[in-house]
Amino acid sequence: RLHTQFLMQHKKNDEIAPVALDDMVYTCEKLLQCQETFRKLNLPTHVSVAYHYTHQRSIDKIQQHGLLSKNERNDIMIRENKFHGEAFGNGIYTANNPCAFKRFGEVGLLVATLLGKVQRVFGCNDGADANTVIGNKRETIYRGSIPYHDEIVLRQSSQCLPLMQYKSHLAHDDLIWTYHIELQKLVDNFFNGEAPTELERVHPPHDMMCGVSSYFGAIPKSPKMAVK
């Protein structure tokens, strides 16, 4: 119903859609089971919305299996279409904004993510005991970073639930942020005990085009809002 309402308002029905419907039950159950495991281990269990980019040819497999790490794809013999490297180790690479990494695929995904224990890392061999690591290549190269370029790496597929897919050229469109807000409300109701998540929109630094790195400066951010 939410998706239909947005489509009527914005008329982009050929550019944004649910990742899956029937198959989403399987990946949703995996996320719930992982959340319960984290809870028993006294790990953080909050679920939040993030971004991932892929190629159209990979969507069928994502609908069947969810997002998989390289090791998980190898385990079930899924052939790599294109490998972008693993600067911060094996896992599912996500972002806190839709623009910084849109060059990695023509299809963007809004995904529910369960981070668990998080550790900031500087290379692929760090963070062995973390459920999620956060790396930033700009930090390594320039000895200073901005969150806009953070790569948030979930170690296993059960920490991730693909929700919506959209054409990557919409990355800068306010419609994607609107979906982010509304999806976070649904995630809060379903996974977070109805506790509202405080959201802060991460913009590109000024003088930087969406997805094109040319300037390293402060991030102008929208005021924080609680999703209600």
Side-chain angles (χ1 to χ4, degrees), residues 80-200:
E80 288 279 355
N81 288 317
K82 187 174 183 180
F83 183 56
H84 294 294
E86 294 181 331
F88 304 107
N90 181 64
I92 298 107
Y93 281 63
T94 65
N96 58 25
N97 70 85
C99 291
F101 303 104
K102 71 172 189 173
R103 66 187 181 278
F104 287 112
E106 67 273 13
V107 180
L109 303 179
L110 283 152
V111 297
T113 60
L114 173 63
L115 302 187
K117 180 181 178 181
V118 179
Q119 182 176 337
R120 183 165 283 277
V121 299
F122 300 95
C124 63
N125 296 320
D126 299 335
D129 62 341
N131 307 115
T132 299
V133 298
I134 300 177
N136 192 312
K137 296 187 186 77
R138 309 289 172 149
E139 194 166 48
T140 304
I141 297 171
Y142 296 98
R143 296 185 180 180
S145 66
I146 53 175
Y148 177 78
H149 296 290
D150 279 352
E151 299 180 45
I152 305 161
V153 187
L154 312 168
R155 290 307 195 195
Q156 55 184 334
S157 62
S158 57
Q159 293 173 249
C160 186
L161 171 61
L163 298 171
M164 302 295 299
Q165 58 177 306
Y166 59 90
K167 301 297 184 184
S168 62
H169 71 85
L170 292 176
H172 64 282
D173 197 309
D174 285 342
L175 176 61
I176 301 304
W177 178 242
T178 301
Y179 265 97
H180 187 137
I181 293 170
E182 296 302 323
L183 287 171
Q184 186 63 60
K185 291 178 184 178
L186 295 176
V187 167
D188 287 341
N189 288 336
F190 196 74
F191 293 101
N192 296 330
E194 301 184 1
T197 295
E198 192 176 66
L199 293 180
E200 187 173 11

Side-chain angles (χ1 to χ4, degrees), residues 35 37-46 116-117 129 131:
Q35 187 181 43
T37 298
F38 283 9
R39 185 175 290 112
K40 290 177 179 178
L41 295 173
N42 201 30
L43 297 172
T45 60
H46 184 265
K117 180 181 178 181
D129 62 341
N131 307 115

